[in-house]
Amino acid sequence: MSVKAFELVPAVERALLMGDKARINIECIECCGKNLYVGTNDCFVYHFLLEEKTTSKEKLTFSVQKQQHKYLGLKKPVSELKAASALNRLIVLCDNTIMLVNMLNLDPVQSGAKIKGVVTFTVNENPVNGDPFCVELGVISVKRRTIQIYMVYEDRVQIVKELATPEQPSAVRLDGYFLCLALTTQYIIVNYSTGASQDLFPFDTEEKKPIVKRIGREEFLLAGPGGLGMFATAAGISQRAPVHWSENVIGAAICFPYVVALDEGFVTVHSMLDQQLKQTLPFRDGHIMQEFEGKVILATMKEVYVLVPLPLERQIQDLLASQRVEEAIVLAEGAQRNIPKEKFLVMYRRILQQAGFIQFGQLQFLEAKDNFRKGQLDVRELISLYPLLLSSTSTFTRSHPPLHEFADLNHLTQGDQEKITKCKRFLISYLKEIRSTEVAKDYKEDVDTALLKLYAEADHESLLDLLVSENFCLLVDSAPWLEKHKKYFALGLLYHCNSQDDAAVQLWVRIVKDELQDTTRPDLYEYVVDFLSFCSSQELVWKYADWALQKNQKVGVQIFTRRPVDEEKAGKLNPDDVIKYLHKYSQAVTQYLEHLVLDRKIQKEKFHTHLAVLYLDEVLKLHSQSDQHSEELSTARAKLRSLLQQSCLYRVQLVLGKIKDTNLNLECAILYGKLEEHDKALHILVHQLKDFQAAEDYCLWNSEGRDLSYRQRLFHMLLAVYMDPAVANDTLVMAAVDLLNNHAEVFDAVRVLRLVPGNWSIQLLCPFLRGAMRENMHSKRMSQVALGLAKSENAIYKHEKLKYKGLINLSEKKGCQLCHNTFSEPECVCYPNGILVHIHCAAKRNRDSASKQHFTNPQNHT
């Protein structure tokens, strides 16, 4: 696709060059700074001063002043001109002879330095000679198949190298040690220092004019077969794709990023970046095209023109104006090498931003997002397109000159609701991506407020996620917007984010009471309770506790049971105050006491007693109202019994006083057990409840954590109750037999045998007797083992004592190695390694192995 990259501007007109001499033709041109030199077919060299001027319409023109002209006296056309500004010399090729003339007055050098027999020559623009006042030339000699290298000084020339070529060369360019040559049938690259050569590709120079141009360090542009402009490096490879120009190209030049070519009727401009034809300029009768220090100069036989490149920024803006985004970006990236880094970055980012808005207007959202991010777009530029999204406190004004042509989203979409919806979805996606990046760090309020508004309007699921995380939504803008879209729960979260918890809870309570309609959280009541349980404001907790408890005591009490434990330690919420407050809510106060006693294990008598009394009251209430075997009553009694059994802190007499005159016999037995009145407890269990298993369990849990003798005493008491002759019956006898047989290891067998009647058979008590004998034998054997070990240890001690020989020096100044006190008695224990300790310290050490110290003697015996 076309782009206006150059303008063709006249420089030297026919009348200024030759006047009325019709036969004078231009043969060659050279430009150095403002100096323009023209060589003609009548052996003249003309010197002009070329001045750039800009008109009032910002159009570039050239003012040309003729300085002088000089006849060289050879009556032959001037074939080539090259300026050597460091030497103040103009190198002239005329009649196969290179001569040096003064750049200013065009007088020949008096030394008469010349090079004869030259077909054409080239200047090495990447010289290998370090002398700044020396020019290196590559020369095609009239001698067959010969290339010569010369050093040209101010007043002399010197040949430094001559090398043969496989075919006759017709064109040459020189870069460092590398010669790029057009031979009769092909192009080659030769290293004149090493003699190494590299074939490039075939080309018939007899049919078409060869073109060899140096375009950069060790890189050349060549006219290839099939109308291709080929790039080749000194290594013989191509790092750029070829450009497709005319079959009849007669000249070429590089003006980055463009390749400019001249044929019989046109000047064509191709991009080196994408190889596309960008511009075509009509230019008839042209036969010379040269590039000089960034200027492309063309000439017909009679006139000279300058191909003026338009500023790259203007070219890019023209491409953007025609919505050719990709071409504009490629051109901008290609211009990086010619623009200072800081200036380029500013320009490039703006171009990417403009490109992004063009793609956004075409609903190409992925491409737009990519360019916005690469161009580091001020996100407010995008937000400002959406009506009412930019916060009211924002001081943002759009970029000038503007990055786009849209007034707002309605203008962009022409009111199409489907497109508007797509654009809003895109903005949500883009803002979510950038809100935590560097791009948005200075505009967090604008980004988060815009996101909130978009979420609320679209009923988006991420609205709550935004509000429960760290955010910078502006309350003054966001609150009315949420209220407008009836997002009351979200509005409460917004109040909470802004430390307005009272307003938040008040709003949520209104939703729970159905004063406001918002179905965001079906469990909002539970949410409010949970919120209050973690709320640091005690005032707010007390304010809404009644409402929560009146609605549901079981849930509402969680305001107090879920609170952090450290609040009580800090004195913020006293349990006594809570219990006093909850006295009118029976279920709630019970749950709170359960929390204190059972969950937090607080060891305070008043809490345990209070909970026991509440449990008892509940049991008595249910007992009087419902069936004796109801599940609710069974559960309540189980909770009461569990507390009575496990707790040792409640006031037993108080509870017993309340329970005595009821038929809660099992609970009463537990309380007698707490008072160590086991005979009463067992009497209730055996004679009143006739629950023999409960009686056995009573003995077990009451003796838990006690020594064996205590448990034995309880079981003997139970056996005595069973064997009481005053109430003897077969049921109790069988219970006694079962007790003995099931717990034989607990009983003292001798006492049992004295107690049981003589008419009981051995078979009846066989399990008991077997268990008792096994326990007796086990105890006896364990005693024998312990005795044997003690004797063995004693023998070892005696052996070690016999092994130890020497005097023991004991004085009041020496100290015991265990307690570090001095000796006050002439008695001690001496270990084999000589360490002295008190007798009582040694005895304690042997008894308490956990505190035994390790001495250097590994056997550790006295």
Side-chain angles (χ1 to χ4, degrees):
M1 297 179 71
S2 63
V3 62
K4 189 174 182 180
F6 295 91
E7 288 183 341
L8 197 59
V9 180
V12 181
E13 297 180 352
R14 176 175 185 153
L16 184 62
L17 179 66
M18 59 194 66
D20 56 355
K21 300 178 181 178
R23 295 185 179 181
I24 295 177
N25 294 328
I26 298 173
E27 293 290 332
C28 59
I29 55 177
E30 170 67 353
C31 187
C32 181
K34 296 181 180 181
N35 299 291
L36 175 67
Y37 300 93
V38 178
T40 62
N41 61 341
D42 58 351
C43 205
F44 273 86
V45 175
Y46 291 81
H47 178 200
F48 299 94
L49 201 61
L50 204 60
E51 293 276 0
E52 292 183 3
K53 289 187 177 180
T54 304
T55 65
S56 58
K57 296 182 179 181
E58 296 187 358
K59 190 171 183 178
L60 187 66
T61 61
F62 290 94
S63 170
V64 180
Q65 295 180 1
K66 183 176 179 180
Q67 301 299 300
Q68 59 182 325
H69 62 281
K70 180 75 69 173
Y71 177 63
L72 301 182
L74 297 177
K75 297 183 181 180
K76 296 286 185 177
V78 178
S79 303
E80 291 187 49
L81 297 172
K82 289 293 179 185
S85 57
L87 307 180
N88 192 30
R89 296 290 181 263
L90 189 64
I91 304 171
V92 182
L93 175 61
C94 182
D95 194 20
N96 299 122
T97 300
I98 290 178
M99 64 183 71
L100 305 179
V101 301
N102 188 289
M103 284 184 66
L104 298 178
N105 56 27
L106 303 180
D107 290 337
V109 174
Q110 294 182 355
S111 66
K114 293 182 179 180
I115 304 174
K116 296 185 178 181
V118 177
V119 175
T120 185
F121 73 94
T122 184
V123 173
N124 191 349
E125 296 178 30
N126 180 24
V128 295
N129 188 335
D131 188 350
F133 299 103
C134 172
V135 176
E136 299 176 25
L137 297 185
V139 172
I140 297 179
S141 174
V142 293
K143 295 168 61 177
R144 294 288 293 170
R145 302 179 181 177
T146 303
I147 295 289
Q148 296 171 330
I149 307 299
Y150 282 89
M151 296 297 178
V152 177
Y153 299 90
E154 188 176 358
D155 55 358
R156 61 189 177 90
V157 295
Q158 177 184 347
I159 186 168
V160 295
K161 192 79 173 181
E162 183 173 289
L163 65 156
T165 59
E167 298 176 1
Q168 178 61 30
S170 57
V172 61
R173 284 294 180 270
L174 181 59
D175 182 270
Y177 287 110
F178 295 98
L179 288 159
C180 186
L181 300 171
L183 305 182
T184 306
T185 61
Q186 64 176 337
Y187 290 102
I188 67 169
I189 287 182
V190 179
N191 185 319
Y192 76 78
S193 175
T194 64
S197 66
Q198 173 70 52
D199 295 344
L200 297 178
F201 52 85
F203 187 80
D204 190 348
T205 58
E206 294 182 354
E207 289 187 3
K208 294 181 181 178
K209 179 183 177 181
I211 295 175
V212 182
K213 293 286 182 181
R214 176 187 180 274
I215 64 170
R217 187 179 180 85
E218 298 183 2
E219 187 174 11
F220 304 92
L221 171 64
L222 313 170
L228 294 177
M230 308 284 288
F231 298 94
T233 66
I237 60 175
S238 179
Q239 296 177 328
R240 306 176 196 269
V243 295
H244 198 287
W245 55 29
S246 168
E247 290 275 359
N248 302 312
V249 170
I250 56 178
I254 297 294
C255 186
F256 192 85
Y258 298 110
V259 177
V260 185
L262 173 67
D263 60 24
E264 295 174 348
F266 298 94
V267 174
T268 58
V269 180
H270 289 78
S271 171
M272 295 173 66
L273 304 174
D274 59 12
Q275 294 74 50
Q276 299 298 311
L277 176 64
K278 299 298 181 181
Q279 188 178 8
T280 301
L281 297 165
F283 189 69
R284 296 184 62 82
D285 301 325
H287 76 113
I288 297 173
M289 173 181 280
Q290 296 286 347
E291 186 267 327
F292 305 103
E293 300 170 355
K295 293 190 186 76
V296 178
I297 299 181
L298 300 93
T300 63
M301 290 293 183
K302 309 296 183 180
E303 296 174 318
V304 178
Y305 295 82
V306 178
L307 198 60
V308 178
L310 298 181
L312 277 174
E313 288 191 50
R314 178 176 165 187
Q315 296 180 42
I316 293 167
Q317 291 303 321
D318 288 345
L319 288 171
L320 290 174
S322 57
Q323 298 191 346
R324 290 154 61 184
V325 171
E326 296 301 326
E327 289 182 72
I329 293 175
V330 169
L331 182 57
E333 290 170 348
Q336 182 175 0
R337 59 185 283 181
N338 298 328
I339 302 175
K341 183 177 179 180
E342 291 302 320
K343 182 179 178 182
F344 170 77
L345 285 176
V346 172
M347 179 196 78
Y348 184 58
R349 287 171 184 163
R350 180 176 174 82
I351 290 167
L352 288 175
Q353 293 168 12
Q354 290 177 275
F357 276 109
I358 291 171
Q359 292 163 330
F360 175 70
Q362 297 169 345
L363 306 186
Q364 297 175 9
F365 296 127
L366 289 177
E367 295 83 355
K369 182 191 295 184
D370 188 46
N371 285 324
F372 285 153
R373 296 200 68 166
K374 288 181 180 176
Q376 299 180 12
L377 175 72
D378 181 341
V379 68
R380 296 174 298 176
E381 286 278 1
L382 184 58
I383 296 173
S384 67
L385 279 175
Y386 295 73
L388 303 177
L389 283 196
L390 204 61
S391 63
S392 58
T393 59
S394 177
T395 58
F396 170 75
T397 55
R398 290 184 182 178
S399 174
H400 186 77
L403 295 172
H404 54 81
E405 58 185 11
F406 310 119
D408 57 24
L409 194 61
N410 291 321
H411 175 217
L412 185 151
T413 60
Q414 297 297 307
D416 188 323
Q417 288 302 315
E418 184 179 353
K419 290 182 179 179
I420 290 175
T421 301
K422 288 180 180 180
C423 290
K424 288 182 177 179
R425 287 177 187 163
F426 162 73
L427 184 59
I428 288 175
S429 169
Y430 182 65
L431 294 180
K432 281 176 68 176
E433 283 187 23
I434 67 160
R435 69 182 295 258
S436 58
T437 65
E438 286 291 311
V439 176
K441 71 174 184 178
D442 296 327
Y443 321 118
K444 290 183 177 181
E445 290 183 351
D446 296 290
V447 171
D448 284 359
T449 303
L451 259 181
L452 179 140
K453 291 179 178 180
L454 289 166
Y455 285 157
E457 187 179 40
D459 195 19
H460 200 283
E461 59 185 9
S462 297
L463 174 61
L464 302 185
D465 295 333
L466 173 66
L467 290 170
V468 298
S469 61
E470 183 184 12
N471 67 81
F472 298 88
C473 300
L474 286 174
L475 181 63
V476 65
D477 271 57
S478 303
W481 193 274
L482 291 173
E483 195 167 354
K484 171 186 174 183
H485 293 280
K486 298 184 178 180
K487 298 296 179 182
Y488 300 113
F489 175 71
L491 178 56
L493 292 177
L494 179 66
Y495 284 137
H496 172 58
C497 293
N498 287 272
S499 302
Q500 298 184 22
D501 289 348
D502 194 357
V505 177
Q506 185 177 5
L507 193 64
W508 292 333
V509 168
R510 291 183 65 195
I511 298 173
V512 176
K513 290 180 176 179
D514 291 330
E515 294 177 10
L516 297 173
Q517 300 301 315
D518 186 346
T519 58
T520 303
R521 292 281 309 233
D523 61 340
L524 183 56
Y525 167 68
E526 289 79 4
Y527 179 87
V528 174
V529 169
D530 188 63
F531 179 86
L532 291 172
S533 70
F534 290 95
C535 180
S536 59
S537 171
Q538 301 298 315
E539 182 181 352
L540 195 62
V541 170
W542 294 117
K543 180 177 179 180
Y544 291 100
D546 265 330
W547 167 80
L549 289 164
Q550 288 169 9
K551 186 168 181 63
N552 188 321
Q553 290 189 43
K554 185 177 179 180
V555 176
V557 76
Q558 294 174 6
I559 293 174
F560 303 104
T561 60
R562 288 186 179 180
R563 300 199 70 76
V565 177
D566 56 2
E567 280 196 358
E568 182 184 336
K569 294 178 181 178
K572 292 183 178 179
L573 197 66
N574 191 326
D576 293 326
D577 296 336
V578 177
I579 294 170
K580 183 178 179 181
Y581 175 78
L582 294 175
H583 76 279
K584 56 185 176 182
Y585 303 104
S586 57
Q587 185 181 2
V589 73
T590 302
Q591 284 184 241
Y592 184 68
L593 284 167
E594 286 175 343
H595 167 68
L596 297 178
V597 173
L598 304 180
D599 298 336
R600 291 179 52 191
K601 311 292 184 187
I602 293 180
Q603 303 298 304
K604 285 189 177 182
E605 175 270 325
K606 59 181 177 181
F607 295 157
H608 287 246
T609 301
H610 195 168
L611 181 59
V613 171
L614 288 175
Y615 277 171
L616 179 57
D617 290 345
E618 179 67 17
V619 169
L620 293 175
K621 176 183 174 184
L622 293 172
H623 194 274
S624 64
Q625 291 178 355
S626 60
D627 180 22
Q628 299 295 314
H629 302 289
S630 70
E631 184 178 348
E632 189 177 3
L633 177 59
S634 298
T635 302
R637 290 190 67 179
K639 289 168 67 175
L640 174 61
R641 287 196 296 269
S642 176
L643 176 65
L644 296 179
Q645 286 179 357
Q646 294 177 13
S647 174
C648 297
L649 296 176
Y650 60 89
R651 293 162 60 188
V652 179
Q653 291 289 3
L654 175 65
V655 180
L656 185 59
K658 286 178 171 289
I659 211 171
K660 260 184 179 181
D661 299 328
T662 69
N663 60 352
L664 301 177
N665 295 319
L666 183 55
E667 290 80 359
C668 192
I670 295 171
L671 292 171
Y672 279 127
K674 291 291 183 179
L675 294 172
E676 295 290 329
E677 297 180 14
H678 301 299
D679 52 342
K680 292 182 180 180
L682 292 173
H683 184 272
I684 292 173
L685 295 171
V686 174
H687 296 299
Q688 294 184 25
L689 295 177
K690 294 181 172 50
D691 190 341
F692 306 133
Q693 184 59 49
E696 289 184 25
D697 293 341
Y698 173 88
C699 295
L700 290 172
W701 68 259
N702 258 299
S703 61
E704 190 174 352
R706 304 289 189 96
D707 56 23
L708 181 60
S709 63
Y710 188 86
R711 175 168 290 191
Q712 190 178 75
R713 184 167 71 88
L714 286 181
F715 273 92
H716 273 282
M717 289 177 68
L718 178 58
L719 181 62
V721 172
Y722 288 153
M723 301 294 290
D724 185 0
V727 290
N729 59 56
D730 292 343
T731 304
L732 293 177
V733 169
M734 291 309 300
V737 171
D738 290 340
L739 179 67
L740 290 170
N741 289 337
N742 291 335
H743 301 281
E745 73 283 354
V746 179
F747 289 95
D748 181 345
V750 175
R751 287 178 59 190
V752 171
L753 291 175
R754 289 174 182 170
L755 182 64
V756 298
N759 61 347
W760 285 17
S761 67
I762 296 296
Q763 185 178 2
L764 187 65
L765 293 175
C766 184
F768 166 71
L769 294 172
R770 188 164 46 244
M773 290 181 66
R774 184 182 295 113
E775 179 65 23
N776 187 272
M777 292 295 294
H778 175 71
S779 299
K780 180 180 178 181
R781 287 168 180 167
M782 289 301 292
S783 300
Q784 290 174 341
V785 170
L787 180 61
L789 289 172
K791 288 180 178 180
S792 175
E793 186 175 15
N794 191 46
I796 292 171
Y797 287 166
K798 288 179 179 179
H799 176 69
E800 294 294 336
K801 184 177 181 181
L802 290 173
K803 284 172 59 180
Y804 182 78
K805 294 180 181 179
L807 296 175
I808 297 174
N809 185 9
L810 182 66
S811 69
E812 293 181 351
K813 294 182 178 180
K814 287 196 172 184
C816 171
Q817 294 297 312
L818 290 179
C819 70
H820 305 293
N821 294 323
T822 58
F823 291 96
S824 59
E825 300 291 337
E827 296 174 339
C828 70
V829 173
C830 180
Y831 286 93
N833 56 5
I835 290 177
L836 304 178
V837 298
H838 289 120
I839 293 175
H840 61 271
C841 289
K844 182 180 178 183
R845 174 177 176 271
N846 290 337
R847 286 196 308 270
D848 190 2
S849 59
S851 60
K852 187 182 293 182
Q853 301 191 28
H854 300 279
F855 298 96
T856 55
N857 179 10
Q859 294 181 339
N860 233 2
H861 296 311
T862 53

